[in-house]
Amino acid sequence: MMGGMKAVLCTHFGTANELELKDIPPPVAGPGEALVRVKAAALNFFDTLIIAGTYQQKPPFPFSPAAEFAGIVESVGAGVTDIAPGDRVMGYLGWGAAREYVAVAAQQLVKLPADLSLEHAAGLTVTYGTTLYALRERAALKPGETLVALGASGGTGLAAIELGKVLGARVIACASSDEKLAFARDHGADAVVNYASEDLRDALKKLGGEHGVDVVYDPVGGRYAEPAVRSLAWQGRYLVVGFAAGDIPKLPLNLVLLKSCDIRGVFWGAWTKREPRAQRALMTEIVTWCAQGKLSAHVHAVYPLAEIATALGAIADRKVMGKIVLRP
Ligand SMILES: NC(=O)c1ccc[n+]([C@@H]2O[C@H](COP(=O)([O-])OP(=O)(O)OC[C@H]3O[C@@H](n4cnc5c(N)ncnc54)[C@H](OP(=O)(O)O)[C@@H]3O)[C@@H](O)[C@H]2O)c1
């Protein structure tokens, strides 16, 4: 029998400093489940919201933040045949991965190639899963089209650059500093816009030319949404991914009429529940591309569980390029 395990616990909604690192009994793999030793748990922007009680999902207390992880299977419950102890896997929980062990439905785990590091794999599911679903299933992005990624150095934004290139698009990366834009170029962006120092509409007018831009991927919202929609081509598609800037933008609908364009919502988490098979197939593609070096899954920094407040602070302060990972 295993002893206790370390877990970051959120016992009430509040700030990251109010999270507690505790010893709790480890879970046991029930029927159809695998017990996984978490080697890396990745944080996302929404972890800053979920602990504050301002996210769309409000888990029962106490819960651990971190939606996704990678690790090694320790044991499996009754009826599990395709996953075995010792397998290297990654998975998605929604929340609960900032701890040493998790028990997960074995069907939800994705096996990892030997040459993909657990730290990189931990952060692949949410950002790349959301983005491939957004670009391919929602936007039907075609080779040769122009894709604009806002917040392009963040977790989802970097995924948009890299998956946009894999899908054959020309990618314009938009971010708030020259350092972030250099990072975007290093990861494949064809052109860049500093929306803190340049007018987004003017810059996209120049880069999009007379045609305009075909697809906008927007995880930021706020004041960038309207100029981005105004920059769309005839029958362009604007993807509503998130609102990291805090404000949920309102748009004049005449713009949608005048361009015969589409505003398309992206709710990846709900899609994974509606179409679990499609999600698994999509993740297998992503893992393969990552192992082939087509996706970087760039890790900005790795923190021990005890430093989760610093890790979440870096995300909230807009300092992160790529992903933040916890090492339990
Ligand atoms: N729809 C879905 O299914 C889905 C799935 C996953 C995530 N999301 C959402 O997508 C958004 C981005 O997530 P992420 O993990 O990519 O976040 P992230 O890594 O923190 O990146 C967010 C980017 O937003 C920009 N930003 C602008 N104003 C900001 C502010 N006030 N605070 C923080 N960042 C700000 C920053 O870039 P600049 O400094 O360059 O502006 C930052 O790089 C979140 O709202 C998240 O909830 C949605």
Side-chain angles (χ1 to χ4, degrees):
M1 270 310 263
M2 234 186 290
M5 69 164 181
K6 296 236 174 309
V8 173
L9 294 183
C10 179
T11 58
H12 57 275
F13 292 132
T15 66
N17 286 322
E18 291 164 65
L19 296 169
E20 296 169 51
L21 184 61
K22 289 231 162 125
D23 263 311
I24 61 169
V28 174
E33 288 185 340
L35 180 70
V36 180
R37 170 73 173 97
V38 178
K39 293 290 190 178
L43 293 173
N44 286 279
F45 181 85
F46 61 72
D47 286 299
T48 66
L49 307 178
I50 205 165
I51 60 162
T54 53
Y55 192 53
Q56 60 222 22
Q57 286 170 308
K58 295 182 177 53
F61 300 119
F63 70 90
S64 299
E68 49 186 347
F69 64 92
I72 315 264
V73 175
E74 185 96 355
S75 61
V76 295
V80 176
T81 51
D82 51 349
I83 295 275
D87 282 350
R88 300 167 81 252
V89 293
M90 69 180 198
Y92 168 72
L93 295 170
W95 61 83
R99 48 178 62 193
E100 287 179 310
Y101 291 90
V102 290
V104 196
Q107 275 196 336
Q108 287 176 18
L109 294 170
V110 176
K111 282 195 216 179
L112 297 172
D115 50 357
L116 183 55
S117 88
L118 294 175
E119 269 170 17
H120 288 97
L124 272 180
T125 307
V126 175
T127 48
Y128 288 86
T130 296
T131 306
L132 189 52
Y133 167 64
L135 297 182
R136 202 166 58 187
E137 313 297 320
R138 300 298 294 134
L141 180 68
K142 293 186 261 315
E145 286 193 320
T146 297
L147 166 69
V148 170
L150 305 183
S153 74
T156 52
L158 172 63
I161 297 176
E162 295 188 332
L163 287 168
K165 293 312 296 175
V166 169
L167 297 174
R170 170 184 175 237
V171 179
I172 302 173
C174 308
S176 66
S177 74
D178 291 342
E179 188 195 4
K180 288 181 173 184
L181 293 173
F183 173 82
R185 273 206 193 272
D186 284 349
H187 288 81
D190 299 290
V192 296
V193 176
N194 182 333
Y195 51 40
S197 61
E198 295 172 63
D199 180 81
L200 183 61
R201 176 76 191 101
D202 289 347
L204 291 182
K205 207 177 213 171
K206 253 183 239 153
L207 290 167
E210 211 170 298
H211 174 77
V213 303
D214 299 293
V215 175
V216 172
Y217 179 94
D218 185 4
V220 181
R223 66 193 175 94
Y224 305 128
E226 186 172 330
V229 171
R230 287 184 185 276
S231 307
L232 281 176
W234 176 251
Q235 294 186 342
R237 289 87 77 204
Y238 170 87
L239 295 166
V240 182
V241 181
F243 311 105
D247 292 336
I248 298 180
K250 293 187 171 54
L251 291 168
L253 282 179
N254 63 318
L255 299 178
V256 181
L257 180 153
L258 290 171
K259 290 171 182 288
S260 260
C261 69
D262 293 353
I263 309 286
R264 296 191 187 173
V266 176
F267 192 174
W268 168 81
W271 176 74
T272 63
K273 293 201 179 73
R274 286 163 182 264
E275 302 199 36
R277 276 161 161 255
Q279 153 67 5
R280 266 166 78 88
L282 182 139
M283 283 323 299
T284 305
E285 269 182 288
I286 287 171
V287 164
T288 307
W289 288 337
C290 195
Q292 290 170 348
K294 292 180 183 165
L295 308 175
S296 68
H298 179 81
V299 174
H300 181 92
V302 181
Y303 293 90
L305 284 186
E307 289 177 32
I308 187 166
T310 310
L312 287 170
I315 295 176
D317 292 345
R318 224 166 154 171
K319 288 189 182 132
V320 177
M321 293 188 277
K323 297 289 295 188
I324 291 280
V325 168
L326 300 171
R327 193 188 291 131

